[in-house]
Amino acid sequence: MKTNFKFDNSYTQLTSMMMSKIMPVKVKLPKLVLLNHNLAKQLGLDFSSLDEKQLAELFTGNTLPEGANPIAQAYAGHQFGHLAILGDGRAIVLGEHITPNKQRYDIQFKGSGRTPYSRGGDGKAALGPMLREYIISEAMHHLNIRTTRSLAVATTGENVMRETVLPGAILTRVAESHIRVGTFEYVAIKRDLQTLKKLLQYSVERHYPEIKDLDKQAPEFLKLVMERQIDLITDWMRVGFIHGVMNTDNMLISGESIDFGPCAFMDYYNPKTVFSSIDHHGRYAFGNQPSIAQWNLARLADAILPLLHEDQNKAIEVGEEIIHSFKEKYEIKFHEMMKRKLGLITDENDDVILIQELLDTMEKNNLDYTNTFRDFMHGKSINDNLKKFHDKWKIRIDKQNRSHEEILSIMKNANPVIIPRNHKVEESLKEAHKGNLVSLNNLINALKEPYIERSDLTLYQQPAHKTDKKYKTFCGT
Ligand code: AMP
Ligand code: MG
């Protein structure tokens, strides 16, 4: 079977306790639902010689591409604050595909059967959540936000039992790697210093080669992971993305967004927004995401503590200093980001106040986060409640003496027109369940150029009805 997959399996060289070799469980009646041709091309893959049936066999794991050496990875994680031993309970990494320009990507199946880490789970995934991950991850990518990607979704012809009986499916996920904060926590729990060193070295070589020759790698590594996370969370806050389960096992060392379970995009601005049905206390609410990221990074610091300094007290000092710098670094990035959203190029003392005034006004009046910024760009139909702010903003904009074009182009790249609105996502999933893929494919296409206004796509710009505020998302596991 010709696919151009070029596997190299460097992860399998790590200590054996970090993984289990395991084959995907064969499925009954494979059927391809989505194939991401653009991504395949970017990865240098070629499926043109395969027919429908062969593609379906390939993307369910019924036939393995040459060179694959499947493993389930072991990891731990703080889930809603509590540490647990986890691991890929329903995922299998086929191997690392090396692209023609020598980039390395994990190719992973999600939903391909039980593994030694499945605990009570069935190792399977339902079609809805896998399509959801496909939609959101691709939307994130086109929003220019670091993310794992989705290469394909195929159904298995088998049922999975959740609250109801659902069609089983497998997602093929592509990631720079699947090394998580929780991977480090796992090795730390095992108290195996040699493996911890090896994992650090490996992660540095794979994701932060710029520090691979440093003597004291661990503190620099922590700082670099933190920087990527700050950039990532800033991007999430820019587009109103709520991850929903920011457990440490869902935070990647590479700085990509991962695991789009109960995530959703916020319509009406409110930092307390939570969609996830299991997040009863709002731990992962929109406005909490920066401080949770910091908390997760502190867990990474804990895990690599013996590598931060030989002396434990010094190690704690080093770790704390880095983790404490998060807040200031994040606030700078957040401020710069908000300035771009408002087209502010120069600096004024009152910018922080101005930005806060806008956020407060949006919150108080239930204004749509995405559309509010876009409306500013055109000065059109400014909501009555925003008039006062809008006047101030106009004065501030005029003061900086920059061309209209320059200001607009900055705002345009910071403010999406189209995000995957919850009601649109649900509508397309509902249709897909009935076997109709038209609205799913239309949505995926609409999300491909999210910063460009198109008159034929205005339907995708509408927030849900205000009565629809009780929208809930589920893990689907
Ligand atoms: P997630 O919520 O997808 O990040 O998963 C958290 C943990 O639960 C991971 O260790 C998963 O592998 C595991 N898990 C989720 N769903 C299943 C399932 N259906 N069967 C086995 N393990 C699962
Ligand atoms: Mg996960």
Side-chain angles (χ1 to χ4, degrees):
M1 198 158 58
K2 190 179 158 294
T3 58
N4 276 4
F5 270 117
K6 301 234 173 342
F7 282 110
D8 177 64
N9 304 302
S10 66
Y11 199 87
T12 60
Q13 306 299 312
L14 290 167
T15 318
S16 62
M17 64 129 170
M18 293 184 58
M19 70 205 80
S20 297
K21 298 212 165 181
I22 180 139
M23 287 301 206
V25 175
K26 294 231 155 109
V27 312
K28 210 161 95 190
L29 198 67
K31 188 167 181 287
L32 189 68
V33 180
L34 291 173
L35 177 57
N36 193 336
H37 293 280
N38 284 338
L39 178 58
K41 208 166 146 199
Q42 284 171 36
L43 294 172
L45 299 173
D46 178 12
F47 303 120
S48 58
S49 67
L50 308 189
D51 61 26
E52 269 302 291
K53 188 160 176 288
Q54 287 171 314
L55 284 170
E57 298 279 352
L58 177 67
F59 288 111
T60 48
N62 274 8
T63 48
L64 280 187
E66 201 185 312
N69 187 1
I71 54 163
Q73 296 180 344
Y75 52 86
H78 275 85
Q79 301 186 306
F80 291 91
H82 304 285
L83 185 61
I85 301 275
L86 304 164
D88 290 330
R90 57 162 173 172
I92 286 177
V93 178
L94 292 187
E96 301 139 32
H97 166 65
I98 311 292
T99 69
N101 46 17
K102 302 284 173 265
Q103 284 167 307
R104 181 181 294 268
Y105 289 100
D106 275 7
I107 307 295
Q108 191 207 54
F109 285 151
K110 192 168 171 179
S112 54
R114 287 180 54 83
T115 77
Y117 314 110
S118 295
R119 297 171 290 160
D122 61 2
K124 294 182 176 176
L127 178 62
M130 295 306 102
L131 291 177
R132 201 161 193 287
E133 171 150 350
Y134 187 110
I135 297 168
I136 308 281
S137 62
E138 288 307 298
M140 295 294 267
H141 168 74
H142 294 295
L143 285 162
N144 300 326
I145 299 177
R146 285 175 70 93
T147 178
T148 65
R149 302 206 49 197
S150 300
L151 182 59
V153 174
T155 45
T156 60
E158 292 159 15
N159 290 330
V160 301
M161 305 299 187
R162 297 295 181 257
E163 262 117 76
T164 54
V165 180
L166 298 168
I170 293 172
L171 171 86
T172 305
R173 177 155 77 182
V174 179
E176 286 179 24
S177 88
H178 286 85
I179 306 168
R180 306 144 195 268
V181 168
T183 314
F184 280 87
E185 291 181 288
Y186 178 82
V187 178
I189 293 166
K190 299 285 174 193
R191 300 196 172 276
D192 179 342
L193 195 59
Q194 280 317 311
T195 301
L196 192 63
K197 278 187 187 157
K198 232 169 139 179
L199 176 61
L200 177 74
Q201 184 71 38
Y202 180 83
S203 304
V204 163
E205 273 169 24
R206 201 156 162 184
H207 300 298
Y208 302 98
E210 63 270 33
I211 60 163
K212 79 176 190 315
D213 297 322
L214 277 191
D215 275 344
K216 281 228 125 295
Q217 271 179 0
E220 290 312 306
F221 170 73
L222 183 60
K223 279 183 212 161
L224 291 176
V225 175
M226 183 168 88
E227 269 168 34
R228 285 220 188 142
Q229 285 299 329
I230 288 176
D231 286 343
L232 182 65
I233 304 292
T234 305
D235 267 333
W236 290 1
M237 303 308 277
R238 174 170 65 81
V239 299
F241 175 75
I242 306 169
H243 183 282
V245 257
M246 283 179 71
N247 296 332
T248 55
D249 50 301
N250 290 336
M251 186 185 260
L252 290 182
I253 295 303
S254 68
E256 297 166 285
S257 317
I258 187 172
D259 264 7
F260 303 92
C263 67
F265 282 72
M266 175 175 66
D267 291 315
Y268 310 105
Y269 177 78
N270 189 326
K272 295 197 184 69
T273 308
V274 173
F275 291 114
S276 168
S277 58
I278 55 168
D279 192 359
H280 305 295
H281 302 291
R283 179 181 170 90
Y284 299 136
F286 180 69
N288 284 355
Q289 297 187 119
S291 58
I292 288 292
Q294 184 186 21
W295 192 89
N296 289 351
L297 289 162
R299 303 292 73 76
L300 177 62
D302 287 345
I304 63 168
L305 200 66
L307 306 180
L308 288 175
H309 201 284
E310 311 81 72
D311 178 296
Q312 194 184 342
N313 289 327
K314 291 243 174 67
I316 293 172
E317 250 175 57
V318 171
E320 280 184 345
E321 195 190 320
I322 295 168
I323 300 299
H324 283 160
S325 70
F326 180 100
K327 193 159 181 274
E328 196 189 333
K329 286 192 168 137
Y330 171 73
E331 273 166 10
I332 292 169
K333 290 278 170 138
F334 177 81
H335 184 69
E336 284 169 359
M337 175 274 282
M338 275 293 165
K339 278 182 61 190
R340 276 184 281 124
K341 278 179 88 68
L342 284 167
L344 310 182
I345 299 162
T346 55
D347 285 306
E348 292 291 337
N349 285 336
D350 286 349
D351 285 347
V352 175
I353 300 169
L354 190 77
I355 289 165
Q356 194 55 50
E357 183 178 333
L358 172 62
L359 295 176
D360 291 344
T361 311
M362 280 196 279
E363 180 178 351
K364 204 168 135 213
N365 299 289
N366 274 317
L367 302 182
D368 184 78
Y369 187 60
T370 302
N371 292 345
T372 298
F373 287 97
R374 274 279 158 174
D375 288 348
F376 279 142
M377 290 177 53
H378 312 296
K380 76 172 181 205
S381 58
I382 297 299
N383 183 292
D384 272 349
N385 299 304
L386 274 174
K387 285 259 151 55
K388 204 173 116 221
F389 172 84
H390 190 252
D391 292 344
K392 278 194 202 170
W393 175 72
K394 280 298 277 175
I395 294 168
R396 169 68 182 81
I397 283 287
D398 291 342
K399 199 171 159 187
Q400 62 188 2
N401 234 328
R402 299 294 179 111
S403 75
H404 195 56
E405 288 72 41
E406 187 184 359
I407 293 169
L408 272 188
S409 92
I410 286 171
M411 292 180 78
K412 198 176 152 213
N413 292 320
N415 298 312
V417 188
I418 299 176
I419 52 166
R421 300 268 181 188
N422 303 323
H423 60 108
K424 280 289 174 194
V425 174
E426 293 308 315
E427 177 189 293
S428 71
L429 295 185
K430 216 164 145 187
E431 291 293 310
H433 262 275
K434 291 188 233 154
N436 181 354
L437 300 178
V438 175
S439 38
L440 176 70
N441 281 307
N442 285 345
L443 175 62
I444 290 169
N445 281 329
L447 292 164
K448 279 185 179 155
E449 289 182 321
Y451 297 100
I452 294 173
E453 311 228 359
R454 276 177 46 184
S455 55
D456 56 330
L457 295 180
T458 50
L459 270 179
Y460 294 91
Q461 299 175 34
Q462 305 302 320
H465 279 293
K466 294 220 162 133
T467 50
D468 202 15
K469 274 181 111 180
K470 292 216 178 64
Y471 180 73
K472 282 275 169 242
T473 55
F474 301 88
C475 273
T477 48

